[in-house]
Every structure is written in C-alpha cells, then in structure tokens.
Amino acid sequence: MDYNKFFSSALNTLKSEGRYRVFNDIKRTLGNFPNAIHYSDSKEKEVSVWCSNDYLGMGQNKKVLKAMHEAIDSAGAGSGGTRNISGTSHYHVMLEKELADLHDKESALLFTSGYISNEASLSTIASILPDCVVLSDELNHASMIQGMKNSRAERFIFKHNNPKHLEQILQNIHPDRPKLVAFESVYSMDGDIAPIKELCEVSKNSNALTYLDEVHAVGMYGPRGGGIAEREGLMDELDIIEGTLAKAYGTMGGYVASSRDIIDVIRSFASSFIFTTSLPPAIAAGALASVKHLKESDKERIIHQARAKSLKEKLRQTGIVVMPSESHIVPILVGDPVLCKKASDLLLSDHSIYVQPINYPTVPKGKERLRITPNPLHDEKMIDNLVESLKIVWKQLNISSVN
Ligand SMILES: *Cc1c(COP(=O)(O)O)cnc(C)c1O
C-alpha cells in the first residue's frame, strides 16, 4: 500500500467536489465584536464576522470576562483531573446547579463540549436500557447520531419534524420495549423549529423517553433563556434536555439536565464523561456568569431577534433566496458547492465580510448555502452593507434569485 498516495487522493476527491474545508484564520477583537482581524499569508485586515455562533456576543460580556479572570486568579489554569479524581471544582458544582434550575430539572451534568454531552448521554441511556429502540429525527446533529450508533441499540429514523411518522414507527414497536425519542428544538442549518408538543405527545403515548437538543436555543429563547421548551412551557415533557455553553453563552462546554437518577446513571456509566479531564475552572466560572446574566436580562434576546428579522426582510426585498427560517438563523441558498465557496471568497476579499460556506455533508448536496448569524452587535448599517455586498456577489456569480 502506498499510504501517501492514498491519503492525498482522498483529499483530492474532496477538492474536486468543491467541499475541501479551508479554515479562515481570524482573531476576534475584544470591544470590537463582531469584527475580527483576518490573517492571510502576509496580510492582516479587519473583517466583519457574520457566521459566529457566539449569537449574543456573550464571549466578550464584561461580567463573563470578569468571572473568568477572577477564577484564574483564585484557582489557576487547569482543573487538575477528571471529575472523579480531584477535578470537581466548586465552579463545576455551582454551574451544574444553575443549569438544573435553568431547565427546571433535578440535576445537570457538565461535559467538555456539547458534542460529548450528546454522544455520552445518548449512548449511555440507549445501551443501558435492555433491548432499547432509539427514534431519531432525520436531521439530527452528528453528535446525536454518533451517540445512538455507539449504543448499538436498534435505530429508526423519522421524517424531519414529523410527529405522524414518529407515531407510525412507534406503533410497530412492541409496547414493552424501552424507547428513546431524540430531536432538536432549533435546527441550526435551516433555522426551523420542532413541533415539540406534538412530538412529546406521540412519544408519551408510547411510554417513550424524550431527549431534546436545545443547543441553538439556550440563552436565546424563553423568559430565562431556557430554550424553546421553556418558551412553550414544555420543559416537563422532556425527560432529558441537552445544551451547550459554547454558542449563545459564549464560552465552552456542554451539559444535560434531567432527573436525579438519569443524571446519576450518565455520570456513573458514560466513558467520555468519566475518563477525561474536566473543564478549566475559569471556563465554568465564565459560563456560570453568562447563564446567570441571560436568566435575568432580556435585552440581548430582544435585539437579537430584531436584527434577524430586519436582515431577513432586507434580503427578501432583493430577491436573494432566504430559506424559510423561523429562528435567528438566516440561511441563504446557493445550491452548488463551488459557487458557495466562491461567494464566500468574494465577500471576504472584496467586501471584508466573513461568512463560511456550508457544504455537504453538513447540508445535503444541492442545498449548499451561506448561513448567516446576525447578532445584537451588528447594527442596521452593517446589515445594509451586508445586503448590498451580497447583491453584488450574487450578480457577479450569477447565482439564481427569486426574481
Ligand atoms: C454545535 C452543536 C452541538 C455541539 O456543541 P459543542 O458545544 O459545539 O460541541 C450539538 N448539537 C447541535 C445541534 C449543534 O449544532
């Protein structure tokens, strides 16, 4: 075997399909968010970032930064161990209490990322329940799919946001078998929102456990930032709620909130929770400050929604195809991987606007898009500038629009 030849040809396949991933090298500038310095070869320039998941700008919130500085000064850099062996700091414990309260659950468990929290929780629950069946929305995130696969439980995929299809599948499963239904609230690539009430009703009729990924909703929806389930008064219908501290909360880490015993089972059996060093105390402290702030403050959420609405309206007036999103996410359809990358490159080189192209396998082939995420710190002038720049690039590349 010529290993070098094999690896380079695997990469060449990606390149020829236009979906080779190129990372943009940026440094976010504190006090000047959402702007950043972009580095290329020997040049540096200021760009405006329109694809960050730091949805509310909490990554530079003063309270968050202060909490992180104080934690470093009082507790040092790393946690020093796994949760079991000296790595449970008081910051971790306080954050878990805060997260349990956020979702009105008995307990919560913190992980090093949202990805791990999904992988660990779904694989543990579905493998420990004897002969468990998992039912998964067809557009679930890679981390949920991986967790379900790792459980080796039998798995059925239901059509996206389709309670009727879920019901049909559930009716054909023996009533005595344990069942776990997993879905998201806000789907991050389309920005659509799950019919949580209906999905829970159908699940509960078959005595299934319900698992909700609220990664793209926590901090941003609900009176205290508890997510879509909080907004709709449905948190009690969910057995397990999962979230991240890395998106709207602006820091890092993931978690699940649930009953005391379910959390204790995940804590006790999940390999990727047990055998890894816990988050640095300063990160837990920053996340705690962020969650607390967004429990009390509605300002960020209100401006965020207004910006997203304004951007969608302004884009629609131009004829650029805005995919039907019900949330803060503004996906615009390109429909071709090479054009999508070109559009992104032109925005960056000619207009100092950074929007990462989203190609297969993150989205289906033919649905390549620019996924724009406005935040409260993008003002109307910046929105106008984005819209004008998109118009120019769309025209230049002849990307199809509505009129
Ligand atoms: C980003 C994401 C995750 C993973 O969260 P991280 O904290 O970034 O690891 C999980 N689920 C969904 C739907 C996501 O988009």
Side-chain angles (χ1 to χ4, degrees), residues 88-102:
T88 294
S89 80
H90 191 53
Y91 298 99
H92 296 102
V93 176
M94 287 190 295
L95 177 55
E96 283 173 342
K97 282 205 183 115
E98 193 69 35
L99 291 167
D101 175 76
L102 176 67

Side-chain angles (χ1 to χ4, degrees), residues 279-300:
L279 286 171
I283 296 205
L288 178 63
S290 188
V291 172
K292 275 189 167 162
H293 175 80
L294 289 175
K295 263 183 183 170
E296 283 152 20
S297 170
D298 237 358
K299 192 178 76 189
E300 292 83 359

